Amino acid sequence: MTTPRGLLLLAAALLALAGCGDDKAAAPPDVKHNGAAYDGMNVCTLADDEQIKAALGEGPGPKERKDTDALRACAIDASSGDFYLFLTVVKPSMAAADQVGYDKAAVEGAKDVDAKTFSFFDEGQAYVETSDGDLVLRASLIYYVDGGKITDGTGVVGRLHTLLGQMTQKV
C-alpha cells in the first residue's frame, strides 16, 4: 500500500526527471526572417552619412543605387576620389549562413570575424560579409586604379564590420 507521502515523493521525483520548470535550454533560438524587406530595399538608406564617413575614413561623395536582379547595391565615392564604398544585400537561394560559408570557402586568405562573418583584404580592396536572417550583407572598400592602396587592412576591416552591424539594425 502506497502512502500519500510516498505518492508525493514519487510525483516530485518524476517531475524532476522530466525537467519540468526549466524550458530555457530547450527553447529554439529566435530566427530573424527579413527576406520580405529585400524586394523594396534601397541599400543607400541603410547607413547615414556619419556612418559612411566613419567607414570610409573621410567624407562621402554622392550615393548611387546599383541594383540588379541578383542584388541590391549602393556605390559611394570617397571625397578624395581615390576609392569607393560598395554596399550590397543579397537574398540567396540557399540559407544565408550557407551562402556566407560558400563565399568564404571561395576566397583564399579569408578570415573569420565572428561565427557568421568573414573578411578579406589586400592592397586594392577590403570587404566584410555577414549573414543576417535571410539576407547576406557585404561592405567593400575598393581603390580605383592608381588611387592608392590599403595600408591598414585590419583597421579598414574593423570599420567595415562596424558599418555592417549598423546596417543590420535597419534590415
Side-chain angles (χ1 to χ4, degrees), residues 123-163:
E123 289 184 343
Q125 67 175 329
Y127 60 86
V128 178
E129 183 176 303
T130 192
S131 62
D132 180 58
D134 301 322
L135 304 174
V136 173
L137 290 83
R138 181 185 279 202
S140 306
L141 186 140
I142 305 161
Y143 269 88
Y144 289 110
V145 175
D146 297 328
K149 63 182 180 178
I150 294 174
T151 57
D152 179 16
T154 303
V156 172
V157 163
R159 295 192 319 254
L160 295 174
H161 184 247
T162 298
L163 179 63

Side-chain angles (χ1 to χ4, degrees), residues 7-81:
L7 285 175
L8 204 58
L9 287 173
L10 179 61
L14 287 173
L15 286 173
L17 289 173
C20 291
D22 189 38
D23 290 341
K24 290 179 186 174
D30 290 334
V31 178
K32 186 175 181 180
H33 294 289
N34 54 1
Y38 179 77
D39 291 332
M41 183 177 292
N42 178 352
V43 177
C44 292
T45 64
L46 295 180
D48 63 35
D49 286 344
E50 287 303 311
Q51 293 167 331
I52 292 168
K53 180 179 180 181
L56 285 169
E58 64 182 62
K63 299 175 185 178
E64 184 179 351
R65 262 181 103 160
K66 299 279 189 175
D67 295 350
T68 69
D69 289 340
L71 60 85
R72 305 290 180 251
C74 182
I76 308 157
D77 271 327
S79 59
S80 66

